[in-house]
Amino acid sequence: MKKILASHLSAGPTLVAWLGATVLVERLWAFCLPAVLLLVLLAVVCCVRSGSGTGPPPGPPAEGKAVFITGCDTGFGNAAAKHLDSLGLDVFATVLDLTGDGARALRRSCSSRLTLLQVDITQPQQVQQALLDTKAKLGLRGLWGLVNNAGVCVNLGDAELSLMSNFRGCMEVNFFGTVSVTKSFLPLLRQAKGRIVNISSPAGDQPFPCLAAYGASKAALNLFTETLRHELVPWGVKVSTILPSSYKTGKPRPQTSTWPHLQGAASKAAPPAAPSSNNAYWEQQHQQLLQSLPPALMEEYGEDYIAETKDLFQSFAEHANPDLSPVVNAIVHALLSPQPQLRYFAGPGIGLMYFIHSYCPLSISNRFLQKLFVKKTLMPRALRKQSGLEKNNTKNNNKII
């Protein structure tokens, strides 16, 4: 290269540039190829691991251990209570309705060890009463496990269209309610050096469209869980987070708290999972949203845009996975394994989703979310009008020219 530059040839700089680019590409390829192969291998491992599920671990014996589970009317909580009871644990299961279908099913299928408690986790008095009832049954024993499963998912539309009551309601149940239960039962958990298992959602880590209220509450829960995990290390209490994919978690039940519009504080933890595939539920939510929107917003977005969002959520709920066993197995593993995982990707595709979110460029991650969830075809009405005006202006300008 020095000789070429010294020769004062006109082609010298161009040749040097080409040679330099060639060497650079060669070095980058040699450096990046192993990294690319490693990333591909990690992606495959994540997919296999998230899809394989976690079976019952060869951990400490289950007999004699007590577990407190919230949100057992339907879904993950109901299924986990039945399974843990079958393994010999003393299960304290909270429901919103002691006379409901979920409570009756638990009484029929579980042993006499099961204790049903009516608890709305947004009501501190009910949480404290549940604590007293649990202490009375435990005696001198501590509490081995707390499964914070109760939650709500109210998701009908863009953040601007979501009611403030939806944001407050999701935070009150998914975050503040869980914090209240956890703080109340921590002395019993510390006594037993037990486990805390929080059912969260990938929506708390990734920006799923139309899930702003739900995702924000789960993001708060995720940070609380991670902080708690560090703080409880000296006490010997292990803390795990379960991140489910989309599951059918049952028909929602009326919420008895001060947010009566919310549906069922049973398990609704899957990120894009809708609370129900019930047509009446979605129509009710849709009509409530239409009635509450200011006329200006309705004009900007359009009723057809809002209706499409409702249809997409309902379709997503109808195609959700009815097999809850990956989540139930993850709960069992987190409670009984000698070394529980910090995070469980419960369901196919969750590991791959987190891999793409963590290691791929943001543009690829965003496109993946858009292709995966709420594939809208309509733009808001105001944008459609603007687009039409721009086309007309372009035609007129062309005619003038």
Side-chain angles (χ1 to χ4, degrees):
M1 289 182 185
K2 288 181 179 179
K3 288 181 179 179
I4 292 173
L5 290 173
S7 66
H8 302 288
L9 295 174
S10 60
T14 304
L15 183 59
V16 170
W18 276 107
L19 288 172
T22 304
V23 173
L24 180 62
V25 169
E26 180 186 5
R27 295 301 181 192
L28 285 174
W29 179 254
F31 174 77
C32 292
L33 182 60
V36 171
L37 293 176
L38 179 60
L39 287 176
V40 171
L41 179 61
L42 283 173
V44 172
V45 170
C46 286
C47 291
V48 172
R49 186 172 182 178
S50 65
S52 61
T54 49
E63 290 79 6
K65 287 184 166 56
V67 178
F68 188 93
I69 310 175
T70 63
C72 296
D73 292 273
T74 60
F76 304 141
N78 191 278
K82 293 175 182 176
H83 189 65
L84 291 171
D85 177 80
S86 70
L87 294 178
L89 282 86
D90 297 336
V91 177
F92 295 83
T94 76
V95 293
L96 285 174
D97 186 0
L98 285 173
T99 62
D101 295 338
R104 287 198 295 267
L106 288 174
R107 288 192 185 96
R108 285 196 306 267
S109 59
C110 295
S111 69
S112 59
R113 293 189 310 273
L114 179 81
T115 302
L116 281 174
L117 301 168
Q118 184 168 342
V119 180
D120 177 347
I121 65 171
T122 67
Q123 302 300 310
Q125 301 88 345
Q126 294 186 25
V127 173
Q128 289 304 310
Q129 186 59 51
L131 175 62
L132 293 175
D133 294 341
T134 304
K135 280 183 176 180
K137 278 220 164 188
L138 288 176
L140 298 177
R141 290 187 299 161
L143 182 67
W144 175 254
L146 169 63
V147 182
N148 285 309
N149 166 72
V152 291
C153 182
V154 183
N155 44 4
L156 260 182
D158 304 45
E160 188 178 12
L161 301 178
S162 298
L163 304 176
M164 283 304 299
S165 57
N166 288 348
F167 283 92
R168 293 190 180 99
C170 283
M171 286 297 294
E172 191 67 26
V173 178
N174 299 341
F175 179 63
F176 291 118
T178 299
V179 172
S180 173
V181 172
T182 303
K183 286 172 62 65
S184 298
F185 283 83
L186 257 176
L188 293 177
L189 292 162
R190 288 191 285 102
Q191 178 185 341
K193 297 185 184 298
R195 310 287 173 84
I196 297 175
V197 182
N198 288 342
I199 311 298
S200 187
S201 168
D205 295 318
Q206 304 180 39
F208 284 93
C210 299
L211 283 180
Y214 178 70
S217 66
K218 289 299 186 178
L221 175 62
N222 288 347
L223 185 59
F224 172 72
T225 303
E226 292 300 309
T227 304
L228 201 64
R229 178 170 59 82
H230 289 287
E231 293 174 349
L232 293 179
V233 167
W235 295 95
V237 176
K238 294 181 170 60
V239 183
S240 298
T241 302
I242 295 179
L243 302 158
S245 61
S246 180
Y247 290 95
K248 288 184 180 178
T249 55
K251 182 179 179 181
R253 302 189 59 81
Q255 172 63 283
T256 59
S257 74
T258 53
W259 285 267
H261 67 281
L262 293 179
Q263 297 292 325
S267 169
K268 308 289 178 292
S276 175
S277 57
N278 183 280
N279 292 336
Y281 166 80
W282 288 107
E283 190 57 37
Q284 176 191 358
Q285 295 292 309
H286 179 60
Q287 291 302 322
Q288 180 186 346
L289 179 62
L290 294 180
Q291 294 168 10
S292 62
L293 280 182
L297 269 183
M298 178 67 76
E299 179 63 27
E300 293 269 317
Y301 280 88
E303 190 170 343
D304 54 349
Y305 177 88
I306 298 170
E308 184 191 38
T309 305
K310 182 260 295 184
D311 293 339
L312 288 170
F313 269 104
Q314 184 173 343
S315 174
F316 205 98
E318 289 172 351
H319 294 90
N321 188 358
D323 179 17
L324 308 183
S325 60
V327 179
V328 173
N329 290 338
I331 292 173
V332 173
H333 193 277
L335 288 172
L336 298 180
S337 172
Q339 295 297 328
Q341 300 174 26
L342 304 181
R343 283 191 156 197
Y344 290 84
F345 299 142
I350 296 296
L352 176 61
M353 182 190 303
Y354 269 87
F355 176 84
I356 293 174
H357 176 70
S358 302
Y359 297 104
C360 291
L362 194 58
S363 59
I364 296 177
S365 177
N366 288 341
R367 184 170 297 181
F368 178 78
L369 281 182
Q370 291 167 359
K371 295 292 184 183
L372 175 73
F373 180 59
V374 188
K375 305 172 187 175
K376 294 193 68 66
T377 59
L378 287 176
M379 295 176 65
R381 180 185 293 165
L383 295 179
R384 280 177 274 164
K385 288 182 177 180
Q386 291 176 14
S387 178
L389 288 174
E390 289 173 2
K391 290 179 181 178
N392 292 335
N393 290 337
T394 302
K395 290 180 180 179
N396 292 336
N397 291 336
N398 290 337
K399 288 179 181 178
I400 294 172
I401 292 172

PDB file of all heavy atoms in Angstrom, residues 384-398:
ATOM      1  N   ARG A 384     -56.552   8.323   7.930  1.00  0.00           N
ATOM      2  CA  ARG A 384     -57.061   7.938   6.606  1.00  0.00           C
ATOM      3  C   ARG A 384     -57.501   9.174   5.824  1.00  0.00           C
ATOM      4  O   ARG A 384     -57.276   9.286   4.621  1.00  0.00           O
ATOM      5  CB  ARG A 384     -58.229   6.959   6.763  1.00  0.00           C
ATOM      6  CG  ARG A 384     -57.805   5.520   7.044  1.00  0.00           C
ATOM      7  CD  ARG A 384     -59.010   4.631   7.256  1.00  0.00           C
ATOM      8  NE  ARG A 384     -59.457   4.661   8.647  1.00  0.00           N
ATOM      9  CZ  ARG A 384     -60.637   4.233   9.067  1.00  0.00           C
ATOM     10  NH1 ARG A 384     -61.513   3.774   8.215  1.00  0.00           N
ATOM     11  NH2 ARG A 384     -60.957   4.283  10.345  1.00  0.00           N
ATOM     12  N   LYS A 385     -58.136  10.119   6.521  1.00  0.00           N
ATOM     13  CA  LYS A 385     -58.557  11.343   5.857  1.00  0.00           C
ATOM     14  C   LYS A 385     -57.360  12.149   5.378  1.00  0.00           C
ATOM     15  O   LYS A 385     -57.340  12.678   4.261  1.00  0.00           O
ATOM     16  CB  LYS A 385     -59.405  12.186   6.807  1.00  0.00           C
ATOM     17  CG  LYS A 385     -60.798  11.629   7.064  1.00  0.00           C
ATOM     18  CD  LYS A 385     -61.582  12.558   7.975  1.00  0.00           C
ATOM     19  CE  LYS A 385     -63.001  12.048   8.185  1.00  0.00           C
ATOM     20  NZ  LYS A 385     -63.783  12.944   9.081  1.00  0.00           N
ATOM     21  N   GLN A 386     -56.331  12.251   6.225  1.00  0.00           N
ATOM     22  CA  GLN A 386     -55.125  12.973   5.832  1.00  0.00           C
ATOM     23  C   GLN A 386     -54.474  12.329   4.625  1.00  0.00           C
ATOM     24  O   GLN A 386     -54.014  13.003   3.713  1.00  0.00           O
ATOM     25  CB  GLN A 386     -54.145  13.011   6.999  1.00  0.00           C
ATOM     26  CG  GLN A 386     -54.582  13.880   8.155  1.00  0.00           C
ATOM     27  CD  GLN A 386     -53.610  13.808   9.320  1.00  0.00           C
ATOM     28  OE1 GLN A 386     -52.489  13.320   9.179  1.00  0.00           O
ATOM     29  NE2 GLN A 386     -54.042  14.308  10.476  1.00  0.00           N
ATOM     30  N   SER A 387     -54.433  11.015   4.627  1.00  0.00           N
ATOM     31  CA  SER A 387     -53.839  10.296   3.501  1.00  0.00           C
ATOM     32  C   SER A 387     -54.607  10.572   2.226  1.00  0.00           C
ATOM     33  O   SER A 387     -54.029  10.785   1.155  1.00  0.00           O
ATOM     34  CB  SER A 387     -53.821   8.797   3.796  1.00  0.00           C
ATOM     35  OG  SER A 387     -53.295   8.071   2.712  1.00  0.00           O
ATOM     36  N   GLY A 388     -55.931  10.619   2.313  1.00  0.00           N
ATOM     37  CA  GLY A 388     -56.744  10.924   1.147  1.00  0.00           C
ATOM     38  C   GLY A 388     -56.517  12.332   0.647  1.00  0.00           C
ATOM     39  O   GLY A 388     -56.431  12.583  -0.555  1.00  0.00           O
ATOM     40  N   LEU A 389     -56.388  13.295   1.572  1.00  0.00           N
ATOM     41  CA  LEU A 389     -56.140  14.672   1.181  1.00  0.00           C
ATOM     42  C   LEU A 389     -54.794  14.806   0.499  1.00  0.00           C
ATOM     43  O   LEU A 389     -54.645  15.527  -0.487  1.00  0.00           O
ATOM     44  CB  LEU A 389     -56.195  15.583   2.416  1.00  0.00           C
ATOM     45  CG  LEU A 389     -57.590  15.832   3.017  1.00  0.00           C
ATOM     46  CD1 LEU A 389     -57.464  16.616   4.310  1.00  0.00           C
ATOM     47  CD2 LEU A 389     -58.464  16.591   2.025  1.00  0.00           C
ATOM     48  N   GLU A 390     -53.798  14.085   1.028  1.00  0.00           N
ATOM     49  CA  GLU A 390     -52.470  14.155   0.423  1.00  0.00           C
ATOM     50  C   GLU A 390     -52.494  13.615  -0.996  1.00  0.00           C
ATOM     51  O   GLU A 390     -51.865  14.172  -1.905  1.00  0.00           O
ATOM     52  CB  GLU A 390     -51.472  13.367   1.277  1.00  0.00           C
ATOM     53  CG  GLU A 390     -51.151  14.038   2.599  1.00  0.00           C
ATOM     54  CD  GLU A 390     -50.308  13.164   3.506  1.00  0.00           C
ATOM     55  OE1 GLU A 390     -49.956  12.051   3.070  1.00  0.00           O
ATOM     56  OE2 GLU A 390     -50.013  13.600   4.618  1.00  0.00           O
ATOM     57  N   LYS A 391     -53.252  12.540  -1.236  1.00  0.00           N
ATOM     58  CA  LYS A 391     -53.333  11.976  -2.579  1.00  0.00           C
ATOM     59  C   LYS A 391     -54.011  12.960  -3.531  1.00  0.00           C
ATOM     60  O   LYS A 391     -53.570  13.162  -4.655  1.00  0.00           O
ATOM     61  CB  LYS A 391     -54.106  10.651  -2.537  1.00  0.00           C
ATOM     62  CG  LYS A 391     -53.353   9.522  -1.851  1.00  0.00           C
ATOM     63  CD  LYS A 391     -54.180   8.253  -1.832  1.00  0.00           C
ATOM     64  CE  LYS A 391     -53.427   7.133  -1.123  1.00  0.00           C
ATOM     65  NZ  LYS A 391     -54.231   5.891  -1.057  1.00  0.00           N
ATOM     66  N   ASN A 392     -55.086  13.613  -3.037  1.00  0.00           N
ATOM     67  CA  ASN A 392     -55.780  14.583  -3.872  1.00  0.00           C
ATOM     68  C   ASN A 392     -54.896  15.774  -4.203  1.00  0.00           C
ATOM     69  O   ASN A 392     -54.868  16.268  -5.328  1.00  0.00           O
ATOM     70  CB  ASN A 392     -57.056  15.068  -3.162  1.00  0.00           C
ATOM     71  CG  ASN A 392     -58.098  13.957  -3.058  1.00  0.00           C
ATOM     72  OD1 ASN A 392     -58.091  13.030  -3.858  1.00  0.00           O
ATOM     73  ND2 ASN A 392     -58.976  14.060  -2.067  1.00  0.00           N
ATOM     74  N   ASN A 393     -54.128  16.229  -3.168  1.00  0.00           N
ATOM     75  CA  ASN A 393     -53.229  17.356  -3.404  1.00  0.00           C
ATOM     76  C   ASN A 393     -52.163  17.009  -4.411  1.00  0.00           C
ATOM     77  O   ASN A 393     -51.780  17.812  -5.264  1.00  0.00           O
ATOM     78  CB  ASN A 393     -52.575  17.791  -2.088  1.00  0.00           C
ATOM     79  CG  ASN A 393     -53.575  18.450  -1.149  1.00  0.00           C
ATOM     80  OD1 ASN A 393     -54.597  18.950  -1.599  1.00  0.00           O
ATOM     81  ND2 ASN A 393     -53.271  18.447   0.142  1.00  0.00           N
ATOM     82  N   THR A 394     -51.651  15.752  -4.351  1.00  0.00           N
ATOM     83  CA  THR A 394     -50.621  15.313  -5.277  1.00  0.00           C
ATOM     84  C   THR A 394     -51.176  15.306  -6.696  1.00  0.00           C
ATOM     85  O   THR A 394     -50.521  15.747  -7.640  1.00  0.00           O
ATOM     86  CB  THR A 394     -50.128  13.901  -4.903  1.00  0.00           C
ATOM     87  OG1 THR A 394     -49.638  13.929  -3.568  1.00  0.00           O
ATOM     88  CG2 THR A 394     -49.015  13.461  -5.843  1.00  0.00           C
ATOM     89  N   LYS A 395     -52.427  14.832  -6.864  1.00  0.00           N
ATOM     90  CA  LYS A 395     -53.038  14.809  -8.201  1.00  0.00           C
ATOM     91  C   LYS A 395     -53.205  16.221  -8.739  1.00  0.00           C
ATOM     92  O   LYS A 395     -52.909  16.508  -9.902  1.00  0.00           O
ATOM     93  CB  LYS A 395     -54.385  14.100  -8.137  1.00  0.00           C
ATOM     94  CG  LYS A 395     -54.282  12.586  -7.892  1.00  0.00           C
ATOM     95  CD  LYS A 395     -55.674  11.950  -7.843  1.00  0.00           C
ATOM     96  CE  LYS A 395     -55.571  10.442  -7.595  1.00  0.00           C
ATOM     97  NZ  LYS A 395     -56.914   9.836  -7.515  1.00  0.00           N
ATOM     98  N   ASN A 396     -53.665  17.133  -7.873  1.00  0.00           N
ATOM     99  CA  ASN A 396     -53.873  18.506  -8.313  1.00  0.00           C
ATOM    100  C   ASN A 396     -52.562  19.175  -8.700  1.00  0.00           C
ATOM    101  O   ASN A 396     -52.488  19.891  -9.699  1.00  0.00           O
ATOM    102  CB  ASN A 396     -54.550  19.320  -7.186  1.00  0.00           C
ATOM    103  CG  ASN A 396     -55.975  18.846  -6.943  1.00  0.00           C
ATOM    104  OD1 ASN A 396     -56.604  18.275  -7.811  1.00  0.00           O
ATOM    105  ND2 ASN A 396     -56.469  19.066  -5.717  1.00  0.00           N
ATOM    106  N   ASN A 397     -51.513  18.898  -7.914  1.00  0.00           N
ATOM    107  CA  ASN A 397     -50.200  19.461  -8.214  1.00  0.00           C
ATOM    108  C   ASN A 397     -49.694  18.938  -9.548  1.00  0.00           C
ATOM    109  O   ASN A 397     -49.097  19.672 -10.343  1.00  0.00           O
ATOM    110  CB  ASN A 397     -49.201  19.160  -7.109  1.00  0.00           C
ATOM    111  CG  ASN A 397     -49.512  19.914  -5.831  1.00  0.00           C
ATOM    112  OD1 ASN A 397     -50.177  20.960  -5.878  1.00  0.00           O
ATOM    113  ND2 ASN A 397     -49.060  19.395  -4.703  1.00  0.00           N
ATOM    114  N   ASN A 398     -49.912  17.656  -9.814  1.00  0.00           N
ATOM    115  CA  ASN A 398     -49.469  17.083 -11.077  1.00  0.00           C
ATOM    116  C   ASN A 398     -50.187  17.730 -12.255  1.00  0.00           C
ATOM    117  O   ASN A 398     -49.595  17.977 -13.302  1.00  0.00           O
ATOM    118  CB  ASN A 398     -49.713  15.571 -11.088  1.00  0.00           C
ATOM    119  CG  ASN A 398     -48.775  14.831 -10.141  1.00  0.00           C
ATOM    120  OD1 ASN A 398     -47.692  15.341  -9.810  1.00  0.00           O
ATOM    121  ND2 ASN A 398     -49.160  13.651  -9.711  1.00  0.00           N
TER     122      ASN A 398
END
